[in-house]
């Protein structure tokens, strides 16, 4: 069984993330959506909420598992016997940090491969921070995030 990990902070998950996770789930037997706890970074949503939103969205998909993590990604990968890390690339700006991170992780565990998937054109401009900014100023985030999150965002910024 091939297990792949889709790591991120998912604060909150967007349709761009979902697109990558679903495309990855067509390629591998099991996908673990690994939600970084981010204890040193301020997040809009708690780790419990970030995990819950993803669980609710994928509840009918048995091959997608959602877990939080607060350790090195390579350690988390080992625990779940995952050999693949999937990352989405939106623009050249993503490349530099992702390239560095992929090399670091490979150095820490050479058996772990990072595979990059190109963002779908319709979501290439989408990021969690853009979503939060739009919502903060009362903009419409419908179709950019799951419905549940749209409601939660509206409640946060009333
Ligand atoms: P963000 O960069 O939106 O804050 P994360 O840190 O949670 O999100 O990102 C996790 C992964 O998802 C990264 O590999 C990132 O490049 C990817 N990703 C985020 N948004 C998109 C998108 N719209 N299309 C494709 N990949 C994306």
């Amino acid at each position: 069984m091939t297990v792949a990990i889709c790591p991120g902070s998912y604060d909150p998950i967007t349709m761009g993330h979902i697109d990558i996770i679903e495309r990855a789930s067509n390629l591998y037997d099991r996908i673990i959506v690994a939600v970084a706890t981010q204890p040193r970074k301020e997040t809009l949503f708690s780790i419990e909420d970030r995990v819950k939103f993803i669980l609710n969205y994928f509840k009918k998909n048995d091959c997608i598992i959602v877990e939080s993590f607060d350790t090195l990604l390579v350690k988390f990968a080992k625990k779940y016997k995952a050999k693949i890390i999937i990352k989405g690339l939106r623009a050249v700006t993503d490349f530099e940090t992702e390239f560095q991170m992929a090399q670091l992780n490979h150095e820490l565990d050479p058996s772990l491969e990072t595979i990059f998937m190109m963002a779908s054109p319709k979501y290439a401009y989408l990021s969690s921070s853009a979503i939060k900014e739009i919502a903060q100023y009362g903009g419409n985030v419908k179709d950019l995030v799951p419905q549940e999150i749209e409601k939660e965002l509206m409640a946060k910024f009333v």
Side-chain angles (χ1 to χ4, degrees):
M1 171 155 50
T2 330
V3 183
I5 297 185
C6 293
S9 31
Y10 301 107
D11 184 38
I13 193 164
T14 69
M15 296 319 282
H17 294 123
I18 287 168
D19 179 59
I20 295 285
I21 295 165
E22 282 178 340
R23 284 161 57 198
S25 75
N26 294 328
L27 300 173
Y28 303 106
D29 303 310
R30 176 160 294 166
I31 300 295
I32 301 171
V33 183
V35 187
T37 315
Q38 304 284 49
R40 283 175 305 278
K41 268 204 224 163
E42 207 176 312
T43 56
L44 178 66
F45 291 103
S46 67
I47 183 64
E48 292 79 15
D49 280 350
R50 285 181 279 142
V51 167
K52 180 188 76 181
F53 296 149
I54 307 172
L55 275 173
N56 287 348
Y57 189 85
F58 289 116
K59 60 176 174 249
K60 291 201 183 86
N61 197 329
D62 290 342
C63 74
I64 297 174
I65 289 167
V66 189
E67 292 282 347
S68 63
F69 75 104
D70 61 357
T71 165
L72 270 178
L73 188 60
V74 293
K75 283 192 187 165
F76 180 85
K78 213 173 212 113
K79 183 172 154 199
Y80 285 93
K81 296 189 168 52
K83 291 274 169 251
I84 298 154
I85 298 173
I86 304 277
K87 296 308 280 293
L89 282 183
R90 284 162 291 193
V92 195
T93 41
D94 272 346
F95 179 81
E96 203 155 316
T97 36
E98 294 296 352
F99 183 60
Q100 192 181 17
M101 210 145 28
Q103 286 187 323
L104 256 174
N105 283 330
H106 193 74
E107 190 65 35
L108 293 172
D109 182 352
S111 71
L112 201 55
E113 276 305 333
T114 303
I115 309 272
F116 292 99
M117 293 177 79
M118 293 300 161
S120 294
K122 64 175 177 173
Y123 298 129
Y125 61 92
L126 198 54
S127 68
S128 298
S129 31
I131 288 293
K132 286 180 275 191
E133 202 162 323
I134 297 169
Q136 186 180 354
Y137 294 110
N140 189 358
V141 293
K142 189 175 177 290
D143 300 333
L144 301 180
V145 291
Q147 215 171 26
E148 178 188 17
I149 300 176
E150 187 194 338
K151 287 198 189 111
E152 293 273 349
L153 279 167
M154 269 158 50
K156 282 238 186 242
F157 293 117
V158 279

